[in-house]
Amino acid sequence: MQFDRRQGILSAIICKENQRGLHLVELMMIATLLAILAAYALPKFGAPASMTLRSQAQQLAYEIRHAQQLAMSTGRRMQVTVQATGANGSYQIACVGSSCASIPTVTVTVGGNVVVGTGPSGGLTFNTLGEPVNGTSGTAPLSFTSNFTLTFNGSTETVSVLPLTGQVKLSP
């Protein structure tokens, strides 16, 4: 092997004149690295149905906050209701009252056999100030904490909306 000063010492050590392809050890190292990467990356590409209980509860909390923000920004009442209870249940965010044609209704189905609880009776309504109120047309502020529960394999996550402020909290 000839050493050319311009190529550097590293290239002289790595490049052998008769070496072609990869050795078995190099192939095994590459396969091992790919397996490790796949073990960490593949769960990230799962469908919403494979989301964890905690992340689905976080998603519900986000949707409730979004409904509250929509009520304030559009000047219309928004309501969050549980549409279907039980495994793979669903909840809905909808505008309540007249002149709601420009605001689409969103229905979210919870996947992964997560059980959706009943939620507050009659749903949770936000007025135009983002405050939770009693009923779809009521003006009285909510006087109790509204809870939405999600359950999977004996674990429960609760999304709570506090009265007066409408603060959304997530608790196991």
Side-chain angles (χ1 to χ4, degrees):
M1 173 186 328
Q2 283 186 327
F3 176 70
D4 185 358
R5 188 170 203 128
R6 290 173 285 162
Q7 292 178 339
I9 295 173
L10 186 59
S11 63
I13 293 171
I14 294 175
C15 297
K16 297 179 183 175
E17 291 177 17
N18 295 330
Q19 182 180 358
R20 290 188 174 190
L22 298 172
H23 290 284
L24 182 59
V25 174
E26 294 168 330
L27 285 174
M28 295 299 290
M29 291 300 293
I30 291 170
T32 303
L33 288 173
L34 288 175
I36 291 170
L37 287 173
Y40 286 104
L42 287 179
K44 305 289 183 198
F45 293 111
S50 65
M51 289 172 38
T52 64
L53 174 64
R54 181 72 175 182
S55 63
Q56 290 199 29
Q58 288 172 341
Q59 180 67 28
L60 174 58
Y62 166 78
E63 297 290 350
I64 292 171
R65 288 184 194 110
H66 183 68
Q68 185 179 29
Q69 290 172 350
L70 275 175
M72 291 185 292
S73 64
T74 61
R76 294 184 177 83
R77 293 174 174 270
M78 297 298 293
Q79 186 176 41
V80 180
T81 55
V82 173
Q83 294 297 302
T85 59
N88 297 322
S90 62
Y91 54 91
Q92 183 178 63
I93 294 104
C95 180
V96 179
S98 60
S99 65
C100 287
S102 62
I103 303 172
T105 297
V106 177
T107 301
V108 180
T109 300
V110 177
N113 290 321
V114 172
V115 176
V116 178
T118 55
S121 177
L124 173 66
T125 304
F126 291 103
N127 65 13
T128 58
L129 298 175
E131 302 167 330
V133 294
N134 290 322
T136 57
S137 60
T139 56
L142 199 62
S143 57
F144 55 88
T145 300
S146 293
N147 294 316
F148 293 84
T149 58
L150 301 175
T151 307
F152 181 70
N153 284 345
S155 298
T156 300
E157 293 283 338
T158 303
V159 179
S160 302
V161 181
L162 300 180
L164 299 175
T165 62
Q167 180 183 12
V168 180
K169 289 187 172 185
L170 187 62
S171 60

